[in-house]
């Protein structure tokens, strides 16, 4: 599972782009119990989702023409400019070139060769999210792609990720681990799978919850919908895939005991 000890290639930040940040904020407050804190008058409407005073995610308005509402995962890098060059060399697309975010750090946004959109973060004063892998916080990043070998080769060129097979029933599933870290349970942060019916290609973000069924019910009451109903996956946990009122997909899971 991910930790807040961010290493190169670790998912270190997640944010939501939405056409209606006020309504989306109300939805996620109802689903996860988060509170919202603005990043300030110069942040263009960007702000932070918090739990017990700890930042667990962020939200901002859509900034790219034609963009659809979606969650984005950011991977940690020591050099945003060098990573942007690797993206181009490996066949990806630079959508937003590296830019400084005041003193917080540097960010950039890309699309991988199989169509998955993601971002990177070079830390300054902000290393990443305050809290991960706890209830109502980011838990897992999963890439759904029509070409697993091409996607894996691309990201390994960028971050040196290690991979491992898995025993997820009925799926060709590859577990992702950072290049650093001896313990696979700590280095592992996500996976790669084929695109499944009803799911968008690209990165799907999972949030840990104490009760999947209660969370699904709360999402429905707040105007969301269900892509995949709650179900138990052996050796993984109980999970469901949801859509917020503006079309952003996300998943919730109560992991099985390790």
């Amino acid at each position: 599972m991910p930790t807040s000890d961010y290493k190169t290639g670790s998912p270190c930040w997640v944010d939501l782009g939405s056409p209606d940040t006020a309504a989306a904020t109300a939805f996620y407050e109802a689903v996860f119990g988060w509170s919202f804190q603005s990043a300030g008058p110069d942040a263009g409407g960007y702000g932070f989702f918090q739990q017990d005073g700890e930042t667990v995610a962020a939200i901002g308005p859509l900034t790219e023409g034609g963009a659809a509402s979606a969650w984005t995962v950011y991977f940690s890098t020591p050099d945003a400019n060098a990573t942007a060059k690797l993206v181009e060399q490996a066949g990806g697309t630079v959508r937003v070139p590296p830019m400084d975010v005041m003193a917080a750090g540097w960010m950039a946004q890309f699309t991988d060769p199989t169509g998955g959109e993601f971002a990177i973060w070079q830390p300054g004063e902000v290393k990443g999210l305050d809290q991960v892998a706890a209830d109502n916080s980011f838990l897992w990043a999963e890439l759904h792609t029509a070409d697993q070998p091409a996607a894996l080769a691309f990201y390994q060129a960028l971050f040196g990720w290690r991979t491992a097979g898995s025993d997820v029933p009925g799926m060709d599933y590859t577990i992702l681990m950072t290049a650093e870290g001896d313990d696979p349970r700590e280095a592992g942060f996500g996976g790669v799978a084929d695109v499944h019916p009803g799911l968008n290609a690209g990165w799907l973000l999972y949030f840990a919850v104490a009760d999947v069924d209660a969370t699904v019910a709360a999402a429905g009451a707040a105007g969301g919908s269900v892509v995949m109903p709650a179900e138990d996956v052996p050796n993984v946990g109980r999970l469901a895939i949801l859509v917020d009122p503006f079309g952003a997909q996300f998943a919730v899971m109560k992991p099985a005991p390790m």
Side-chain angles (χ1 to χ4, degrees):
M1 296 299 174
T3 73
S4 56
D5 179 21
Y6 300 117
K7 304 181 186 302
T8 298
S10 296
C12 62
W13 194 261
V14 298
D15 65 14
L16 173 69
S18 178
D20 188 335
T21 56
T25 293
F27 171 81
Y28 288 97
E29 287 175 338
V31 172
F32 294 125
W34 291 340
S35 61
F36 173 79
Q37 180 182 22
S38 170
D42 299 325
Y46 196 85
F48 311 114
F49 286 125
Q50 295 193 319
Q51 179 172 253
D52 300 325
E54 303 286 320
T55 297
V56 293
I59 185 172
L62 295 173
T63 57
E64 296 181 66
S69 184
W71 281 96
T72 298
V73 59
Y74 292 65
F75 299 104
S76 184
T77 177
D79 189 329
N81 288 307
T83 302
K85 291 179 182 178
L86 287 174
V87 166
E88 294 178 320
Q89 293 169 2
T93 302
V94 177
R95 299 194 335 273
V96 179
M99 58 180 287
D100 68 290
V101 186
M102 295 171 277
W106 286 71
M107 63 81 68
Q109 296 184 347
F110 310 118
T111 304
D112 72 32
T114 70
E117 297 185 352
F118 68 103
I120 57 169
W121 181 254
Q122 177 185 329
E125 293 179 354
V126 176
K127 307 303 179 187
L129 299 172
D130 295 328
Q131 179 177 283
V132 296
D135 285 347
N136 302 314
S137 63
F138 169 71
L139 177 69
W140 195 251
E142 191 171 83
L143 177 63
H144 291 256
T145 173
D147 192 339
Q148 287 198 43
L152 286 169
F154 171 80
Y155 288 102
Q156 287 173 321
L158 266 58
F159 303 120
W161 287 344
R162 295 173 291 168
T163 62
S166 75
D167 55 359
V168 177
M171 293 183 67
D172 179 12
Y173 197 91
T174 302
I175 294 174
L176 299 172
M177 297 176 287
T178 56
E180 300 176 72
D182 295 329
D183 187 343
R185 293 172 299 178
E186 295 181 357
F189 64 83
V192 180
D194 295 334
V195 180
H196 293 279
L199 283 180
N200 298 330
W203 288 96
L204 176 69
L205 306 188
Y206 285 69
F207 296 91
V209 295
D211 187 326
V212 170
D213 297 85
T215 304
V216 171
S225 55
V226 177
V227 174
M228 187 185 83
E231 67 175 46
D232 293 313
V233 179
N235 304 317
V236 175
R238 188 165 180 79
L239 59 88
I241 301 175
L242 308 171
V243 183
D244 75 18
F246 302 99
Q249 295 184 346
F250 65 102
V252 295
M253 182 167 68
K254 181 176 178 58
M258 299 186 69

